Amino acid sequence: MAKKQFKTESKRILDLMINSIYTHKEIFLRELISNASDALDKLAYKALTDDGVGLNRGDFRIDLAIDKDARTLTVSDNGIGMTAEELENNLGVIARSGSLQFKEQMAKEEGGGDTDIIGQFGVGFYSAFMVADQVTVISRAYGADGACRWQSSGADGYTIEPCERAAAGTDIILHIKPDGEEEQYSQYLDQNRIERLVKKYSDYIRYPIHMEMTRERMKEKPADAPEDYKSEWESYTEDTVLNSMVPLWQRPRKDVTQEEYDRFYEDKFGDFEAPLATITVDAEGTVSYKALLFIPGRTPYDFYTREYEKGLQLYSSGVLIMDKCPDLLPEHFRFVKGVVDTPDVSLNISRELLQHTRQLKVISTNLEKKIKVELVRLQKDEPEKYETFWKAFGRQLKYGVVSDYGVHKDMLLDLLMFPSSHSDKLTSLAQYQERMKEDQPFLYYAAGEDAGRLSKLPQAERILEKGYEILYLTEDVDEFCMQTIREFGGKELKSINDEDALPESEEEKKAAEEKSEENKAVLDFLKETLGDRIADARISRILKSHPVCMTADGPLSLEMEKYFKRTGESMAGMSARRVLELNADSEAFAALKRAVESDRELAKKYAELLYCQALLIADLPLEDPAAYTDLVCSLMK
Ligand code: ADP
């Protein structure tokens, strides 16, 4: 039979599995059992509307079988099964949008030793190759006439051929590897070991996991046993259900350990790290439901892409209705994972979703509040965890502010965190406000790529000197966020670039106006020389010791302009109105002024020089770096 080849990505993953770089090989069993459970869910769901299935809820099961002589471990289910085509698509390729990112991640990790990307990418089925040198899948799809056998010994490809199977379902037959120096693979042929693994990872699986367990018992004493009869032992087999099957979310929180929650989360949502927080809800009222929610500690690889689907698993009285019900989560909390179980929605909800919007709305509104409460608790009681959370998902909350602030203001405002000049820790707006100086007129912020650089901006000098704190906005979305929020605790949020960032007394104002008047000739000269490269030149009211800086007039800041350029969203007219600000008290300005009066050629050079310096300080590209260095050199002569 002709061997078919795996697609490239799959091949790489197979290599990974076969060479077993993953330390917890035992998780293969959990992966296969959860696949079986999913397949059962699918058929159970079908059975609700299709009498042809002919199975009741109690008939669905998973079977494990060990054959020591043949060295096989088999995982069977009577679930939905796979057609030949599905076998090909599901097992022959990693048919996932994530495959590209997977490859990238692999490239990054290559040579990096142990790698944990398996959990991250949910390459479940392939994990079988960590312990097996040959994997056979016999599957019959529900509704199909015949069955198919898929077989592979690893990277050299796989075969598919027709075969027999009495009813719909799947058998995954693992031929267990011979024992090696580092790993005793025979442990996976030991019934007690398998039993423990099921208890450890799959106890809550809602279908019974059966296994024939061989046990010993004392032989019954024969009636005619002699005086000195020695009791004998015999072995017998007994069908045993290995798991307790109670869904974790149905158990009261006090009866469940954090470890169980963590394991459930990792297993169900394909993470390899425990969640940062676990939220349980047991609600009774207009809509009754139980919810078990998790806040992950890492950004899923596709989180900020269109591929990521938000949503919670929705169960109705223990039956899975929808894997990712988006209506249960607001967009700004789309990182939350979890399960909602309610008897108050009927089973064919995915087809008649509209009828249930009211119930879903009630649940989602409640959950949103619970999530908020938990996040606030983390922020207060476990700041380090909150920081981890913030690093992973803070951007999403800021998007929430920008996109729908009117509606979500109260929900989001106190969750925001920013770097600031106060310390190397992030600060919330409320914490900032508490620290504010009595005479401080505004909450200040500066936008740019890097906090260290921002702290050295000429514009920051006077503000910092007054003991006022500056928030450092280092993410693209930040400034948009600030413009949406506008004020906090009755005080305006202000860019340090703003002309009146530091309010002036009447005298100061007057003095500033006079200075501008006095230097009008210099300013006009600058505007004339620099042409449309700047919109204006002015005597600065925000500089202290530095001679020059660049700011922008109007709603579009320099950082926003950079953002639009970077993302290609820039349209005609989307440039900032650049303002060259000069410090009239600086020596450089004095030199410029003298030159304007006596040597126009030299003055032109000075104008160029100051303009370029302002660009550099604002982290804006020089239009002609070579010309700039020539200019500097020519002035050194
Ligand atoms: P995942 O479970 O994360 O989708 P897997 O590689 O474990 O990834 O499985 C790939 C696909 O193969 C599954 O999504 C499912 O469609 C199919 N599959 C795996 N095991 C079974 C099974 N026991 N019964 C039916 N389909 C299965």
Side-chain angles (χ1 to χ4, degrees):
M1 204 181 337
K3 276 226 167 88
K4 306 198 180 195
Q5 292 305 308
F6 289 103
K7 294 274 156 62
T8 328
E9 289 87 1
S10 313
K11 222 178 186 145
R12 303 278 309 276
I13 295 159
L14 267 172
D15 277 342
L16 267 180
M17 296 300 157
I18 292 160
N19 300 318
S20 292
I21 37 76
Y22 194 56
T23 32
H24 305 290
K25 297 191 175 70
E26 63 186 34
I27 58 108
F28 79 92
L29 187 61
R30 166 192 89 180
E31 299 289 311
L32 297 182
I33 289 176
S34 38
N35 280 352
S37 167
D38 290 346
L40 292 168
D41 274 341
K42 286 180 196 157
L43 193 57
Y45 179 72
K46 241 196 175 64
L48 298 170
T49 52
D50 178 353
D51 292 336
V53 174
L55 293 172
N56 291 319
R57 181 131 177 83
D59 300 330
F60 294 105
R61 57 187 275 168
I62 296 169
D63 281 276
L64 303 183
I66 293 169
D67 182 337
K68 279 198 169 153
D69 298 329
R71 277 191 83 77
T72 59
L73 169 66
T74 303
V75 180
S76 302
D77 64 74
N78 56 346
I80 192 95
M82 285 175 274
T83 60
E85 201 184 329
E86 283 164 342
L87 278 167
E88 179 114 357
N89 287 337
N90 296 342
L91 309 183
V93 294
I94 295 193
R96 284 201 177 71
S97 50
S99 40
L100 192 72
Q101 285 95 327
F102 183 84
K103 255 171 52 185
E104 282 164 6
Q105 187 75 13
M106 296 260 291
K108 259 191 254 159
E109 309 237 343
E110 219 142 33
D114 194 276
T115 164
D116 262 333
I117 47 187
I118 291 165
Q120 195 174 349
F121 290 91
V123 284
F125 170 76
Y126 287 82
S127 62
F129 286 96
M130 292 196 292
V131 300
D133 48 24
Q134 185 179 60
V135 179
T136 308
V137 181
I138 294 175
S139 194
R140 176 164 171 173
Y142 170 70
D145 289 335
C148 274
R149 175 189 291 112
W150 180 100
Q151 194 163 56
S152 170
S153 305
D156 63 336
Y158 60 93
T159 56
I160 293 186
E161 60 184 335
C163 73
E164 299 288 316
R165 195 182 196 279
T170 304
D171 310 302
I172 313 272
I173 306 161
L174 310 183
H175 186 266
I176 300 295
K177 290 180 184 177
D179 287 339
E181 261 170 40
E182 297 193 348
E183 187 86 13
Q184 297 296 309
Y185 292 101
S186 298
Q187 61 178 301
Y188 303 118
L189 297 167
D190 177 69
Q191 60 171 18
N192 297 321
R193 172 84 169 121
I194 296 294
E195 182 184 27
R196 282 199 303 276
L197 285 179
V198 170
K199 280 242 175 313
K200 179 168 171 190
Y201 292 113
S202 313
D203 195 51
Y204 66 88
I205 290 282
R206 293 169 311 107
Y207 301 97
I209 303 170
H210 290 260
M211 188 162 71
E212 289 281 326
M213 297 282 285
T214 306
R215 304 181 201 276
E216 302 263 287
R217 68 181 159 206
M218 213 181 280
K219 261 190 179 166
E220 219 172 286
K221 194 172 168 184
D224 56 349
E227 275 284 305
D228 59 348
Y229 173 80
K230 272 224 190 103
S231 41
E232 275 182 53
W233 292 83
E234 63 178 0
S235 62
Y236 69 103
T237 59
E238 188 174 55
D239 179 47
T240 313
V241 173
L242 305 178
N243 55 330
S244 65
M245 285 187 284
V246 183
L248 212 58
W249 59 89
Q250 293 290 1
R251 287 161 55 189
R253 181 152 193 168
K254 63 174 174 40
D255 295 349
V256 183
T257 64
Q258 189 55 45
E259 205 194 343
E260 280 177 286
Y261 281 132
D262 291 352
R263 205 164 261 156
F264 173 84
Y265 163 79
E266 286 168 25
D267 178 9
K268 196 154 192 120
F269 302 106
D271 202 345
F272 55 82
E273 258 171 39
L276 284 178
T278 306
I279 305 167
T280 52
V281 188
D282 185 352
E284 302 211 1
T286 41
V287 182
S288 300
Y289 66 92
K290 288 201 166 69
L292 173 56
L293 309 184
F294 299 98
I295 297 172
R298 305 179 310 127
T299 331
Y301 67 94
D302 60 352
F303 186 70
Y304 289 109
T305 72
R306 242 169 245 168
E307 259 78 61
Y308 181 85
E309 282 178 70
K310 70 158 183 177
L312 299 175
Q313 273 201 332
L314 179 60
Y315 287 83
S316 177
S317 308
V319 179
L320 181 67
I321 297 179
M322 221 179 176
D323 197 33
K324 283 182 180 160
C325 180
D327 296 0
L328 288 170
L329 281 179
E331 201 55 23
H332 45 264
F333 291 156
R334 69 207 285 266
F335 46 81
V336 173
K337 303 273 185 199
V339 172
V340 171
D341 197 342
T342 169
D344 293 340
V345 293
S346 70
L347 291 176
N348 43 4
I349 183 169
S350 55
R351 274 165 238 167
E352 296 166 38
L353 201 58
L354 284 177
Q355 291 178 11
H356 294 286
T357 41
R358 194 188 60 81
Q359 285 96 322
L360 295 183
K361 185 83 203 129
V362 171
I363 299 177
S364 90
T365 308
N366 284 339
L367 292 182
E368 184 184 16
K369 283 186 207 136
K370 302 271 181 194
I371 296 166
K372 163 81 191 271
V373 167
E374 180 62 18
L375 288 174
V376 169
R377 188 195 67 76
L378 270 189
Q379 193 183 29
K380 209 166 126 262
D381 301 345
E382 300 183 78
E384 268 158 36
K385 276 196 181 170
Y386 192 79
E387 194 153 338
T388 307
F389 157 76
W390 183 254
K391 285 208 177 93
F393 302 111
R395 190 140 56 103
Q396 185 61 43
L397 297 190
K398 295 181 202 163
Y399 288 155
V401 167
V402 175
S403 66
D404 231 347
Y405 187 58
V407 188
H408 304 306
K409 183 168 184 226
D410 295 337
M411 196 50 74
L412 297 174
L413 199 53
D414 15 314
L415 295 175
L416 302 178
M417 304 287 282
F418 298 97
S420 93
S421 58
H422 174 67
S423 74
D424 55 6
K425 295 230 162 53
L426 299 177
T427 179
S428 69
L429 293 174
Q431 288 164 339
Y432 179 112
Q433 194 190 24
E434 268 169 40
R435 287 189 294 263
M436 267 171 83
K437 289 255 148 64
E438 230 164 76
D439 65 340
Q440 187 171 336
F442 307 116
L443 282 81
Y444 293 102
Y445 66 83
E449 238 168 78
D450 170 89
R453 271 183 93 143
L454 289 173
S455 69
K456 295 191 193 110
L457 279 179
Q459 305 91 298
E461 195 182 1
R462 290 181 63 189
I463 292 169
L464 292 175
E465 213 175 57
K466 282 192 175 297
Y468 301 162
E469 185 173 344
I470 302 174
L471 297 170
Y472 295 137
L473 309 186
T474 51
E475 274 193 318
D476 285 342
V477 60
D478 287 348
E479 233 184 334
F480 296 96
C481 197
M482 288 302 180
Q483 287 202 348
T484 318
I485 300 174
R486 293 189 118 100
E487 56 144 59
F488 185 82
K491 294 220 159 137
E492 203 182 329
L493 292 159
K494 200 141 203 88
S495 162
I496 63 163
N497 284 343
D498 214 285
E499 220 198 332
D500 45 36
L502 285 170
E504 293 162 323
S505 64
E506 283 307 314
E507 287 120 67
E508 284 170 322
K509 261 191 203 140
K510 216 164 151 238
E513 271 159 31
E514 277 168 17
K515 247 183 219 167
S516 294
E517 217 26 62
E518 261 165 46
N519 294 305
K520 192 166 177 303
V522 182
L523 297 175
D524 288 344
F525 175 81
L526 282 170
K527 280 185 257 185
E528 190 190 304
T529 309
L530 297 170
D532 56 11
R533 287 182 284 168
I534 56 169
D536 201 4
R538 71 162 76 109
I539 299 300
S540 179
R541 287 150 63 194
I542 54 179
L543 288 172
K544 183 169 162 69
S545 61
H546 294 266
V548 69
C549 74
M550 188 76 81
T551 61
D553 259 353
L556 200 65
S557 74
L558 296 172
E559 288 309 306
M560 290 175 172
E561 180 191 279
K562 280 185 214 164
Y563 166 77
F564 287 125
K565 283 231 168 74
R566 231 185 353 260
T567 55
E569 284 174 51
S570 151
M571 289 175 274
M574 286 287 250
S575 15
R577 287 194 78 243
R578 293 183 181 185
V579 179
L580 185 66
E581 302 211 12
L582 292 124
N583 182 350
D585 302 330
S586 66
E587 282 177 17
F589 187 82
L592 173 67
K593 195 169 177 178
R594 278 196 303 277
V596 171
E597 283 156 8
S598 61
D599 181 348
R600 290 244 151 183
E601 276 318 300
L602 182 66
K604 267 188 197 161
K605 287 186 175 179
Y606 284 170
E608 286 292 337
L609 187 63
L610 288 169
Y611 167 73
C612 288
Q613 286 177 350
L615 288 180
L616 286 171
I617 290 169
D619 204 7
L620 287 163
L622 296 175
E623 290 121 30
D624 188 347
Y628 171 70
T629 51
D630 282 349
L631 176 65
V632 173
C633 292
S634 81
L635 289 169
M636 288 169 73
K637 273 186 210 147

